[in-house]
């Protein structure tokens, strides 16, 4: 026989069958023993379970009584304090000392127990945890305090987190009653750890677990793993089972997977529940000892069974044991395991399995070598965990990473002893899961080393299930220290950058002069800058504080409070808007602010508050007013400059006219007296020269009034196309044969609202300027068109509404930018001396502006000039009426009418009276308004009043109103050299005659104004 280990060689096919030998062995040795042991164990299990259930119930009731006794002792201590004279006197400092002394008394001393005095709203007044006088927050159990104050009875809280202690507590609250409703509540706060000793003092057996939870099912304390379970809710199943009855018992599996027998009882005083849990392993221990006794007692039976099976089992026991040892060694130690079966067995199945084990071990050694090489290269450790045996197996790298020696097959706790204590539960939870066959597992944890350094490891793996239902987990272990350190550095940089940004943002807000404030949903201050704090204190006399309600500052101003509440409600409701409001207490000061409201949202988009930015608009309004005043001053300065230029031009032209009139009068006088110079000119020539001088003076005056926009216009509905076409002959005679005239008229041209005579004069002036710009001749184009209100390219200074455009264009020399900028200035001309007055374009500009339009000049040096006149469109219902022609003075005989002539200028009055008397009228003269009233009073038989407008003391319009008050319907004709009379007299419907006028025109207007009468 081969002395080597049975390996790849096939064993001989002789010997007893393994299956036959095992069946005979089991049937001969185990069946009688198992039958008897099973019956015995079942009977003992029933007895043991009944005893444990009774003991658990009794202990649960005992613990509930102990908890009630402890709470009653605390209630008694509080009742003693409620009778303190210091409370009666309101001396809270003395009461604080007394309460502290009570807690330090031997009979009442408890570690961590403190007494709190609060008002009925939950605001702490004293707290023995803090020195007296230190600011205290609101109590964490305000509901308990209010319930105690309202009911007037002792109340016991659920577990809560202390507002000052910042640890889990329970509290006993006792109302303080003084001849009326309870206004204060005395509370004793008790740390949950204190009840651990209360539970343990009742003789809790070793290994048993007692727990205490409140009425809401939240754990108050637990004798095992107190920190882990305190403050956590019990499972819904446990709460349901314990809520329906005051005591009982049931089986349960703890959170760590430990099966427990659980008995409970409820405290009558507090309503809390006390639970006693007994691990099933402790219950099974007596049962196990009983089974051993049963087996010893049945040893005789077992020996008889073994004696019957020795004959058969001897042939198969040793080979099977050796084969089992080899398999176990291979599973435990891996490919390096030493196989215990060193010789071929007499059973062929055993030899076949031994060969397969040898081949499997060789393949495993090869695979493990390759795997070890890969893991060493990447620095990973390999591990596996057997859920059934709860054993952990790891490679050398795994042990090195965990800082432990190689403990292959040891418990998990041995492997993770260097892991930080607060991270071990995460590893346990990953491995000891309820359903390890489902999902992946992953955990990161720090590991300490003897040199004080800490490494971070990442454990990753998968849960697998073998065909026989056995579960296990396999995975890798990786050192992630550097990666985590890099991540933490990036996170730190982000945090520092975020903090820096927030500091910068806060500095910007604080330095802003705008008033910035934010409130929460209850309109309490959560943020404001210094400018807001100072301004609010100045406006309302109150300094705002964080946490204060904003509306409290306006309690003495109901109207302002309602307005503020309305505005903030809109902002808190999600509306963003800007409004100008006047704020402040009228008894202090009030200012106007522009308020921009907005809503504050959290990261989930939920509204958590609102803000506004307020800006003082009074300073902006004052600045705007000052700017307008400066602009008005500049405008006045420009007007004065223009007036200075205008005055020189007027003086020059009127001196020429007066010279011509004076020379004509000299010639007339010389001819009448026969003196020197009288024979050079006849009477008609001298008269013609004087009349032409007067006409030129009147034309000059009309140009000046047009420039100043004060000429008396008679706007009518004018067919601009027909007017331009009708001027064709006049333009050809005026411009001469060197200028070609082109007229482009839109057939659908709208009518315009303008004075036709002034429009003709404007077009004629523009045509003459165009001719003078074309020294060698050229083309003059007059183009008309419609300009709708929505047309693109309209002039910016053109008023809204439809317009008609008239463009006069030439292809002459054009203008430079400097010349074009001054083209509309009065008396500015580029023509030579004696050629033009410089008022043509000024008159066109004045006509357009006074008619409600504008004029635009487009020119470029060497490319010609275009002047476009924009006039408002006439309304459809307006109709053009024919100009009333003044009847010639010699067409009707003089009427025997009496005229009251009122003129403050004596020369004008004398000349006018002479003309009218020669025309056959009877004249009564007056030099002023009061004088005319006296004349009218003496001789009221007046057929017509001819009066000047501008007179000292009483204007002509005031005189007419007074005369018509005495005699309604009195005919009147008013003469004036001003334009204001047009607007003033329009209210009275007076006919106006503009100075200077011709004598025959005056006579014709008087005759037209007189009522019809028989001829003289």
């Amino acid at each position: 026989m081969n002395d080597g280990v049975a390996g790849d060689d096939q064993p001989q096919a002789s010997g007893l069958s393994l299956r036959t030998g095992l069946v005979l062995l089991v049937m001969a040795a185990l069946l009688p023993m198992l039958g008897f042991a099973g019956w015995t164990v079942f009977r003992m299990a029933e007895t043991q379970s009944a005893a444990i259930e009774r003991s658990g119930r009794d202990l649960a009731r005992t613990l509930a009584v102990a908890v009630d006794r402890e709470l009653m002792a605390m209630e008694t201590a509080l009742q003693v304090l409620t009778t303190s004279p210091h409370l009666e006197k309101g001396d809270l400092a003395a009461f604080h000392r007394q309460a502290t002394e009570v807690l330090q008394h031997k009979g009442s001393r408890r570690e961590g127990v403190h007494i709190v005095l609060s008002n009925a709203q939950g605001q702490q007044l004293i707290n023995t945890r803090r020195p007296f006088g230190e600011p205290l927050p609101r109590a964490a159990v305000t509901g308990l305090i209010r319930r105690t104050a309202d009911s007037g009875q002792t109340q016991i809280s659920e577990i809560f987190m202390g507002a000052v202690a910042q640890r889990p507590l329970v509290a006993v609250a006792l109302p303080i009653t003084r001849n009326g409703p309870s206004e204060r509540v005395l509370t004793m706060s008790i740390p949950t750890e204190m009840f651990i000793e209360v539970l343990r003092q009742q003789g809790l057996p070793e290994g048993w677990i007692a727990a205490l939870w409140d009425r809401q099912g939240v754990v108050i304390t637990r004798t095992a793993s107190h920190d882990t379970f305190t403050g956590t809710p019990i499972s819904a199943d446990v709460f349901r089972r314990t809520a329906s009855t005051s005591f009982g018992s049931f089986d349960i599996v703890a959170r760590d997977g430990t099966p427990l027998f659980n008995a409970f009882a409820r405290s009558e005083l507090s309503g809390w529940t006390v639970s006693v849990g007994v691990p099933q392993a402790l219950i099974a221990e007596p049962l196990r000892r009983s089974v051993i006794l049963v087996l010893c007692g049945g040893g005789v039976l077992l020996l008889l069974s073994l004696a019957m099976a020795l004959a058969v089992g001897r042939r198969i026991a040793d080979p099977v044991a050796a084969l089992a040892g080899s398999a176990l060694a291979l599973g435990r130690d891996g490919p390096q395991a030493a196989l215990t079966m060193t010789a071929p067995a007499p059973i062929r199945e055993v030899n076949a399995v031994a060969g397969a084990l040898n081949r499997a071990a060789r393949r495993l050694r090869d695979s493990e070598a390759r795997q070890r090489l890969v893991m060493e290269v990447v620095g990973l450790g390999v591990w596996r965990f057997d859920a059934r045996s709860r054993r952990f197996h790891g490679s050398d790298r795994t042990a090195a990473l965990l800082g432990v020696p190689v403990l292959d097959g040891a418990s998990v706790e041995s492997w993770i002893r260097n892991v930080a204590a607060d991270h071990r539960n995460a590893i346990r939870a990953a491995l000891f899961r309820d359903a390890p066959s489902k999902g992946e597992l992953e955990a990161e944890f720090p590991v300490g080393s003897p040199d004080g350094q800490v490494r971070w490891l990442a454990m990753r793996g998968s849960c697998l299930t073998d065909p026989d239902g056995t579960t296990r987990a396999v995975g890798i272990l990786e050192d992630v220290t550097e990666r985590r350190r890099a991540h933490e550095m990036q996170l730190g940089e982000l945090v520092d950058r975020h903090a820096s940004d927030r500091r910068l943002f806060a500095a910007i807000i604080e330095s802003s002069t705008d008033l910035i404030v934010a409130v929460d949903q209850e309109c309490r201050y959560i943020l404001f800058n210094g400018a807001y704090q100072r301004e609010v204190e100045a406006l309302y006399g109150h300094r705002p504080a964080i946490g204060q309600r904003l509306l409290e500052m306006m309690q003495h101003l109901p109207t302002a409070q309602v307005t503020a509440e309305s505005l903030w409600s809109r902002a808190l409701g999600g509306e963003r808007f800007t409004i100008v409001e006047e704020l402040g207490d009228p008894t202090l000061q009030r200012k106007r602010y522009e308020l921009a409201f907005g809503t504050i949202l959290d990261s989930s988009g939920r509204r958590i508050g609102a803000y506004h930015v307020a800006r003082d608009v009074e300073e902006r309004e004052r600045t705007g007013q000052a700017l307008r005043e400066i602009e008005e001053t500049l405008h006045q300065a420009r007007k004065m400059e223009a007036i200075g230029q205008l005055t020189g031009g007027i003086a020059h032209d009127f001196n020429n006219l007066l010279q011509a009139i004076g020379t004509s009068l000299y010639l007339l006088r010389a001819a009448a007296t026969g003196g020197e110079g009288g024979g050079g000119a006849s009477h008609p020539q001298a008269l013609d020269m004087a009349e032409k001088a007067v006409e030129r003076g009147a034309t000059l005056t009309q140009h000046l009034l047009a420039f100043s926009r004060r000429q008396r216009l008679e706007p009518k509905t004018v067919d601009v196309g027909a007017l331009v076409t009708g001027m064709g002959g006049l333009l050809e005679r005026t411009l001469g044969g060197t200028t070609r005239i082109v007229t482009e008229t839109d057939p659908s041209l709208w009518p315009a609202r303008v004075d036709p005579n002034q429009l003709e004069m404007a077009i004629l002036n523009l045509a003459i300027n165009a001719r003078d710009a074309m020294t060698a001749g050229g083309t003059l184009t007059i183009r008309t068109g419609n300009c709708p209100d929505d047309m693109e390219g309209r002039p910016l200074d053109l008023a809204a509404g439809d317009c008609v455009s008239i463009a006069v264009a030439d292809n002459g020399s054009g203008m430079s930018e400097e010349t074009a900028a001054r083209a509309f200035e009065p008396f500015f001309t580029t023509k030579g001396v004696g050629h033009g007055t410089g008022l043509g374009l000024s008159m066109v500009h004045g006509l357009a502006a006074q008619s409600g339009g504008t004029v635009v000049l487009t020119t470029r040096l060497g490319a010609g000039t275009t002047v476009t006149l924009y006039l408002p469109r006439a309304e459809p219902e307006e109709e053009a009426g024919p100009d009333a022609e003044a009847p010639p003075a010699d067409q009707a005989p003089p009427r025997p009418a009496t005229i009251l002539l009122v003129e403050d200028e004596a020369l004008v009055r004398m000349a006018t009276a002479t003309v009218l008397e020669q025309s056959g009228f009877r004249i009564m003269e007056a030099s002023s308004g009061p004088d005319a009233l006296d004349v009218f009073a003496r001789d009221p038989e007046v057929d017509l009043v001819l009066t000047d407008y501008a007179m000292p003391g009483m204007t002509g319009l005031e005189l007419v109103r007074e005369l018509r008050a005495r005699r309604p319907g009195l005919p009147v004709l008013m003469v004036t050299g001003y334009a204001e009379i047009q607007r003033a007299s329009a209210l009275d419907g007076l006919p106006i005659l503009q100075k200077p006028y011709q004598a025959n025109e005056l006579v014709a207007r008087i005759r037209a104004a007189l009522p019809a009468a028989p001829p003289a």
Side-chain angles (χ1 to χ4, degrees):
M1 186 177 288
N2 191 359
D3 296 334
V5 177
D8 294 340
D9 297 336
Q10 290 292 333
Q12 296 180 1
S14 61
L16 184 66
S17 170
L18 177 62
R19 179 175 298 177
T20 303
L22 290 176
V23 169
L24 292 175
L25 179 62
V26 171
M27 292 181 64
L30 296 181
L31 283 180
M33 182 183 65
L34 290 177
F36 176 76
W39 176 82
T40 304
V41 170
F42 177 76
R43 294 296 299 168
M44 293 183 66
E46 287 184 340
T47 304
Q48 188 71 20
S49 297
I52 291 296
E53 184 174 357
R54 287 192 302 272
S55 178
R57 285 194 182 120
D58 293 340
L59 183 56
R61 292 191 186 96
T62 301
L63 293 178
V65 172
V67 170
D68 285 348
R69 187 167 56 249
E70 190 69 18
L71 293 175
M72 289 178 64
M74 296 176 182
E75 180 182 3
T76 302
L78 291 178
Q79 287 175 346
V80 172
L81 285 175
T82 58
T83 62
S84 172
H86 301 304
L87 279 180
E88 187 69 26
K89 297 176 182 179
D91 189 354
L92 297 183
F95 182 76
H96 183 275
R97 291 193 298 271
Q98 182 183 7
T100 304
E101 293 171 359
V102 169
L103 291 177
Q104 294 174 352
H105 190 270
K106 180 179 180 181
S108 302
R109 185 181 304 167
R110 297 289 191 275
E111 182 65 25
V113 176
H114 287 274
I115 296 175
V116 178
L117 178 64
S118 309
N119 60 20
Q121 287 72 38
Q123 176 60 49
Q124 297 187 24
L125 304 178
I126 69 167
N127 190 323
T128 58
R129 296 181 190 273
R130 298 288 178 85
F132 180 77
E134 183 175 322
L136 297 174
R138 292 175 62 87
V141 285
T142 55
L144 173 72
I145 293 174
R146 290 174 181 159
R147 189 165 63 249
T148 304
D150 293 339
S151 65
Q153 297 179 354
T154 303
Q155 300 290 332
I156 298 175
S157 74
E158 318 293 353
I159 186 173
F160 64 96
M161 183 65 66
V164 175
Q166 292 298 311
R167 60 191 295 190
L169 303 172
V170 293
V172 177
L174 191 68
I176 300 175
T177 305
R178 293 287 189 274
N179 299 324
S182 302
E183 297 181 354
R184 296 180 180 177
V185 175
L186 197 60
T187 308
M188 179 176 289
S189 59
I190 309 137
T192 57
E193 298 90 341
M194 194 192 76
F195 289 98
I196 296 178
E197 294 301 321
V198 174
L199 298 178
R200 288 175 176 170
Q201 288 173 0
Q202 308 309 313
L204 189 68
E206 184 177 358
W208 289 27
I209 301 172
L212 176 66
W213 60 79
D214 62 17
R215 295 181 292 272
Q216 302 299 323
V218 179
V219 176
I220 297 175
T221 188
R222 190 173 185 266
T223 56
S225 303
H226 167 78
D227 295 336
T228 303
F229 286 87
T230 298
T232 62
I234 62 176
S235 66
D237 181 53
V238 173
F239 186 82
R240 177 180 56 78
R241 293 187 181 189
T242 58
S244 59
T245 181
S246 60
F247 60 91
S249 61
F250 53 91
D251 293 328
I252 189 172
V253 178
R255 297 181 187 178
D256 59 0
T258 304
L260 297 174
F261 171 81
N262 192 62
F264 67 92
R266 185 165 294 110
S267 168
E268 296 181 358
L269 181 61
S270 63
W272 298 345
T273 302
V274 179
S275 170
V276 177
V278 183
Q280 294 287 2
L282 295 179
I283 300 175
E285 181 63 22
L287 181 61
R288 187 180 64 82
R289 290 195 295 267
S290 300
V291 169
I292 293 175
L293 293 176
V294 170
L295 292 178
C296 291
V300 176
L301 182 60
L302 179 59
L303 291 175
L304 291 177
S305 298
L306 290 176
M308 294 173 58
L310 279 178
V312 179
R314 184 175 299 174
R315 295 291 307 270
I316 63 176
D318 293 340
V320 171
L323 183 60
S326 299
L328 290 174
L330 183 62
R332 181 181 66 250
D333 301 328
Q336 290 76 28
L339 301 182
T340 59
M341 187 172 179
T342 59
I347 305 174
R348 63 175 179 271
E349 286 87 350
V350 174
N351 292 329
V353 172
L357 286 176
N358 280 325
R359 291 191 296 273
R362 185 172 63 250
R363 286 194 297 269
L364 284 175
R365 282 193 296 270
D366 295 341
S367 176
E368 188 177 81
R370 291 192 298 270
Q371 186 181 36
R372 184 182 299 108
L373 179 61
V374 173
M375 294 303 175
E376 289 177 355
V377 172
V378 299
L380 298 178
V382 181
W383 58 267
R384 60 187 176 87
F385 174 72
D386 187 355
R388 176 177 294 176
S389 64
R390 297 184 175 244
R391 296 296 176 179
F392 191 89
H393 306 269
S395 64
D396 296 344
R397 178 60 179 168
T398 301
L401 290 175
L402 291 173
V404 298
V406 178
L407 302 171
D408 196 37
S411 66
V412 174
E413 300 299 327
S414 300
W415 283 87
I416 66 174
R417 60 172 178 262
N418 291 332
V419 177
D422 54 345
H423 286 76
R424 294 176 187 173
N425 284 336
I427 300 176
R428 298 187 188 104
L431 297 175
F432 301 124
R433 54 174 60 186
D434 293 337
S437 60
K438 298 180 180 178
E440 304 291 322
L441 59 88
E442 183 175 357
E444 284 194 12
F445 49 86
V447 175
S449 60
D451 58 0
Q453 296 183 353
V454 176
R455 297 191 310 275
W456 277 86
L457 304 181
M459 173 184 283
R460 300 182 182 88
S462 300
C463 296
L464 307 175
T465 303
D466 293 334
D468 61 354
T470 303
T471 58
R472 55 193 172 89
V474 295
I476 61 173
L477 192 65
E478 179 184 6
D479 189 341
V480 295
T481 304
E482 294 301 324
R483 185 176 66 193
R484 188 178 182 91
R485 184 178 295 116
H487 176 71
E488 290 177 350
M489 290 179 61
Q490 294 177 354
L491 184 62
E493 292 175 357
L494 291 176
V495 171
D496 293 342
R497 189 181 306 118
H498 180 66
S500 177
D501 293 343
R502 288 185 64 86
R503 287 193 298 270
L504 177 61
F505 181 69
I508 293 173
I509 290 179
E510 185 62 26
S511 62
S512 175
T513 57
D514 292 341
L515 312 185
I516 303 173
V517 60
V519 299
D520 60 13
Q521 287 294 101
E522 297 181 359
C523 216
R524 297 183 183 274
Y525 287 115
I526 59 176
L527 178 145
F528 51 73
N529 63 351
Y532 177 86
Q533 189 177 42
R534 293 188 296 271
E535 196 70 8
V536 167
E537 185 175 12
L539 291 175
Y540 295 100
H542 299 284
R543 191 175 184 86
I546 298 298
Q548 179 185 7
R549 285 181 59 84
L550 182 145
L551 300 178
E552 290 179 359
M553 296 186 306
M554 307 177 187
Q555 290 179 348
H556 60 295
L557 301 170
T559 303
Q561 190 177 37
V562 171
T563 302
E565 185 175 7
S566 174
L567 295 176
W568 281 108
S569 297
R570 292 169 59 187
L572 291 171
E575 182 179 357
R576 296 178 180 268
F577 60 95
T578 301
I579 190 172
V580 176
E581 282 288 334
E582 188 174 15
L583 306 179
D585 188 340
T587 61
L588 298 175
Q589 62 172 317
R590 289 180 67 82
K591 289 184 179 181
R592 285 167 53 79
Y593 293 93
E594 181 184 73
L595 308 176
F597 284 87
T599 305
I600 304 175
L601 306 176
D602 62 8
S603 58
S604 63
R606 183 174 58 91
R607 293 193 298 269
I608 61 174
Y611 70 90
H612 84 52
V613 179
R615 183 167 297 169
D616 188 350
V617 298
E618 291 184 352
E619 182 65 27
R620 185 172 65 190
E621 292 175 349
R622 287 193 295 269
T623 303
Q625 180 63 29
L627 181 61
R628 288 191 293 271
E629 292 176 356
I630 293 173
E631 291 176 348
E632 182 63 25
T633 302
L634 179 61
H635 179 65
Q636 292 295 331
R638 290 177 177 173
K639 287 175 61 178
M640 294 302 297
E641 180 184 1
I643 290 173
Q645 297 176 356
L646 183 64
T647 303
I650 292 174
H652 175 269
D653 283 6
F654 269 96
N655 283 335
N656 291 337
L657 296 177
L658 292 175
Q659 179 62 47
I661 294 173
T663 302
S664 299
L665 293 176
Y666 170 77
L667 293 175
L668 289 174
R669 184 181 294 277
T673 59
E676 184 180 354
S682 62
H683 288 73
Q685 288 177 329
L687 291 173
D688 288 344
M689 286 190 296
E691 287 180 351
K692 288 181 180 179
V694 172
E695 290 176 357
R696 287 192 60 191
T699 301
L700 178 60
T701 302
Q702 292 296 323
H703 285 189
L704 291 174
L705 291 174
F707 163 71
S708 64
R709 306 179 190 178
R710 293 181 179 276
Q711 69 193 66
R712 181 176 177 272
L713 299 181
E714 295 182 1
K716 300 177 182 178
T717 299
V718 177
D719 185 346
V720 177
L723 184 144
V724 171
T725 303
M727 291 182 65
L730 174 63
L731 293 176
E732 290 177 356
R733 293 190 299 272
T734 303
L735 303 182
T738 61
T739 301
R740 176 172 171 263
I741 302 173
V742 177
T743 302
E744 299 177 1
T745 302
D746 188 350
S748 60
L749 187 67
W750 297 324
R753 185 69 175 171
V754 67
D755 186 326
N757 296 327
Q758 296 296 334
L759 179 59
E760 288 181 351
M761 184 181 298
I763 295 175
L764 183 60
N765 280 329
L766 294 176
I768 293 173
N769 287 342
R771 179 201 63 188
D772 294 342
M774 299 182 293
T775 55
T779 302
L780 172 70
T781 303
I782 303 177
R783 186 181 305 106
T784 62
N786 296 326
C787 181
D789 183 43
D790 56 353
M791 179 179 178
E792 295 184 0
R794 284 167 55 100
L796 298 178
D797 58 342
L798 183 60
D802 296 335
C803 292
V804 176
S805 64
I806 306 168
V808 179
D810 64 68
N811 56 358
S813 59
M815 303 182 193
S816 64
E817 293 183 2
E818 295 79 5
T819 302
R822 302 185 59 191
F824 293 107
E825 293 183 7
F827 297 103
F828 174 77
T829 180
T830 58
K831 301 176 183 177
V833 178
H835 296 277
T837 63
L839 290 174
L841 285 179
S842 300
M843 184 273 292
V844 174
H845 185 273
L847 171 65
Q850 194 171 357
S851 300
T854 189
V855 63
V856 176
L857 174 65
T858 305
T859 183
R860 191 175 64 183
L861 196 62
T865 301
T866 301
V867 180
T868 305
L869 185 63
Y870 291 90
L871 300 172
R873 176 185 179 181
E875 296 297 331
E877 62 271 10
E878 295 178 354
E879 296 181 359
D883 294 342
E885 296 183 0
D890 55 356
Q891 288 184 357
R895 298 175 61 126
T898 300
I899 297 176
L900 175 58
L901 174 61
V902 187
E903 173 64 59
D904 61 327
E905 183 62 43
L907 293 177
V908 177
R909 187 173 66 251
M910 291 171 57
T912 304
T914 302
V915 170
L916 294 180
E917 286 176 348
Q918 290 180 358
S919 299
F921 296 104
R922 175 173 172 264
I923 303 301
M924 294 189 299
E925 298 184 27
S927 60
S928 65
D931 190 12
L933 293 177
D934 293 340
V935 173
F936 186 79
R938 293 193 303 269
D939 189 357
E941 296 299 328
V942 175
D943 296 311
L944 182 140
V945 177
L946 177 63
T947 179
D948 190 15
Y949 172 73
M951 295 185 296
M954 177 182 287
T955 65
L957 186 59
E958 293 172 344
L959 172 62
V960 170
R961 290 172 179 172
E962 181 64 28
L963 291 175
R964 283 186 170 177
R966 301 182 183 183
R967 180 178 163 187
L970 176 64
V972 175
L973 177 62
M974 186 172 292
V975 295
T976 184
Y978 293 91
E980 285 83 352
I981 183 59
Q982 178 185 7
R983 295 188 295 269
S985 62
L987 301 175
D988 298 76
L990 300 177
I992 306 300
L993 181 61
Q994 191 76 26
K995 291 181 181 180
Y997 48 79
Q998 299 292 332
N1000 58 346
E1001 181 183 3
L1002 172 63
V1003 173
R1005 294 291 297 273
I1006 289 176
R1007 288 176 176 170
L1010 286 171

